[in-house]
Amino acid sequence: MTFNPSVLLIILLGIGFPMAFTQSITANVVVCVLALLYLMLHHANLKTIGLVTLISLPLALGTGWSFIAFGTGDVWLQAWLQVSRLFAYLFLGMSLTLTTPVKDMLMSFVLHLHLSPTFAYGLLAAFNLLPRIQRQVKTIRYSANLRGMTYHLWQPQLYFKAILSAIQWSDDLAQGMASHGFSEGFPRTMTYQDTLPKWQWLVAGILIIGYVGMSFFI
Amino acid sequence: MTKLAIENFSFRYRDSGPDELSQITWTPAAGSFNLLIGASGSGKSTLLKAMTGLLPQFGGTVTSGEITLDDLPIATVAPFERAKRVALLFQNPNRQFAMATPLEQITFALENIQAPAADIPHQVDEALATIGITALANQNLITLSGGEKQKVALATILALGSDYILLDEPFANVDPHARHELMHLLKQLQMHHGKTIIVADHDFSGYPDLIDTVYQLVDHQLTQTDASVLSANTGVDPLFPAPSRNALSPLALDDVSIDMAGRPLIESATFALPAGQLGLLSGVNGSGKSTLFAAITHQRPYRGLLHWDGQDSQKIKMKRWAQTVGLVFQDAMDQFVALTVADELALSQKHTRLPDYWTTARIEQTLDQLNLTPHTEANVYQLSGGQQKKLQVLSMLIMSQPVLLLDEPLAGLDTVSMQHVLDLIQTSIQANHISALMISHQRIGLADYVDYEIHLQGHHLIMGGAQ
């Protein structure tokens, strides 16, 4: 079963919002398990999942520890709640981003969720610019070296210059898009087509209501 | 057939001041091949962008007249209607694509002009096949060479069906072989598809056999000229001798080869830089001059050995290497690290290798010579192109790395400024025994300054100017 990216997004938001208030560890664990199952079913990259989990492990430990050390009341329950919440958010997010290419995601939002094409293509172009931005950051660091200075990755000067370059590029890109006929506010053909059977919305509704029910009444 | 007409058109970027284009009237003949020439900064790009409606949409003001597309002012025509009639191929092939692959980019363009969804795959295939790049359809655009990117841009324009194809120095980042191929593709589009072609270019080689008319922008005005100006421009350039083999600097290349996009760009380059002299590195666009600089400065990989004082330079840490070999970037924006002229120079003075030579008094005197004194508090990003070049060269000369590589330091400079910059380079490298190597397309006026020439041709370094 493959959810349409738009349905997945609604499920993400529908579960993610009440998750900020819920006190149910069980509900969070169920979300983690279901999201992980969905990821397995779609052959998501296990290495990426492992890496993301590994990187967030110290953050989860830190959050948990701070509740144990400084919390009041049932500190262990609070700690486990925070840790399970963090991983539930993480796996929910991955169930969309690791199963759907950025382009399909944005096009689906345009098609079903009324996302503006200008926004979608702007974002898509920005994604396609990422390798070039990496190269520009390298040039900026080299230009500092030439003047006897070192820009470290945490220094704002580095990003100030990178932003200046990005502004220049965004103007060039806007001109390139306009010269290839992209017109804001006019209709355009969509060759991207996907299937969104009505039952997917039904499943989304059941999942969201199920989560809310589980987290507040169990 | 579409009609594109320019009537008494004047345009400027700033709110006030002189026009960049003044009273231009031109109706390109339908189905003709036109070459647009003029010095850098003469307004060729501005004119082409105005003809596609990108200006004043993306800045500037029309001060008189208008440009019409099928008798409608072009500014009132929506971009997707314009693109079907007149399209522009940009100078920098990296900055015109929004999508990741040629297939996606052409599909995107066809969606914009509201082509029926069912026809799009076929139209994409046809455009790719006409340009001969079917094999590239699903490759990531970032991995393509400059020439291949321009072919993708051309295929996109072809798919849009534009009657007018405008090209703004389309071969500046393209190797000579691809340039030749692209020029003949354009000729075929004119002959067999009835397109009107307008190309702006600095390098006239190959054009006399292809074009119908030549237009020239001088003093912001457009005139039709004789094709003989294309040949008159060659043969007056001075040639320089081979580099001397005595008094060498510690920098030497030993059998250095560089690949570009999987193909060899430079093969077995071997030479040592003479000390205290200014050399010229020449060669056509795309021959690999800037790439050679990138290898010497350790900004890109190469094969072979780059020695410093007999030692493999790769053993030297980047930070120290940047203090050994200096680079004046082709794009001034890449050079600056501070916000104002004064800060930029203060930074160089603080870190200079030769604080006794670059005293405050000398820097102030040099600023005066370069006519930069009134701008010391100015923002470096708001200086004119020429002022930026002067500041860029001065700040690197103050750093005084033992070797200095200069990538087009004279581009966009008028004759007087060029002399000042060359005087400055000559004085400071001779006084401090700095070895300098300069890339310049401009040769006229270099006779009194350049000591030797290295010519890059057919993947090889040739010592001495080519005949």
Side-chain angles (χ1 to χ4, degrees), chain B residues 69-136:
Chain B
L69 192 60
D70 285 336
D71 301 322
L72 286 169
I74 195 159
T76 64
V77 183
F80 74 94
E81 286 290 352
R82 293 199 300 246
K84 285 192 262 187
R85 294 169 175 82
V86 46
L88 174 64
L89 202 128
F90 293 81
Q91 182 177 356
N92 189 331
N94 292 321
R95 297 182 185 167
Q96 50 193 331
F97 303 118
M99 309 299 279
T101 67
L103 181 84
E104 287 180 9
Q105 182 65 32
I106 301 174
T107 305
F108 165 74
L110 286 168
E111 287 176 339
N112 291 335
I113 59 165
Q114 297 168 36
D119 298 349
I120 288 180
H122 167 70
Q123 283 176 288
V124 172
D125 288 347
E126 202 177 81
L128 289 169
T130 310
I131 305 295
I133 49 168
T134 306
L136 303 181

Side-chain angles (χ1 to χ4, degrees), chain A residues 121 128 131-132 136 142-143 145-148 150 161 164 172-173 175 180-183 187-189 191, chain B residues 49 80 94-95 97-99 105 111-112 114-115 297 299 319 323 333-334 336 344 348 351 381 401:
Chain A
Y121 280 102
N128 294 332
R132 219 158 281 141
Q136 188 64 19
Y142 174 56
S143 70
N145 280 165
L146 281 173
R147 310 291 287 283
T150 310
K161 283 218 65 183
L164 279 180
D172 289 346
L173 205 56
Q175 295 196 24
H180 285 171
F182 187 78
S183 323
R188 56 193 300 284
T189 314
T191 46
Chain B
K49 283 188 172 176
F80 74 94
N94 292 321
R95 297 182 185 167
F97 303 118
M99 309 299 279
Q105 182 65 32
E111 287 176 339
N112 291 335
Q114 297 168 36
T297 52
Q299 294 302 298
K319 206 178 164 187
Q323 292 309 301
M333 294 296 185
D334 286 339
F336 300 134
E344 192 71 20
S348 282
H351 293 117
Y381 296 97
Q401 278 96 341

Side-chain angles (χ1 to χ4, degrees), chain B residues 131-178:
Chain B
I131 305 295
I133 49 168
T134 306
L136 303 181
N138 288 306
Q139 282 210 37
N140 200 314
L141 281 163
I142 289 167
T143 64
L144 302 185
S145 72
E148 287 168 336
K149 282 179 194 154
Q150 293 297 47
K151 283 186 187 174
V152 175
L154 202 55
T156 312
I157 289 174
L158 196 65
L160 287 167
S162 325
D163 294 318
Y164 289 82
I165 301 180
L166 278 44
L167 306 99
D168 185 5
E169 297 189 35
F171 311 122
N173 297 288
V174 170
D175 69 77
H177 175 70

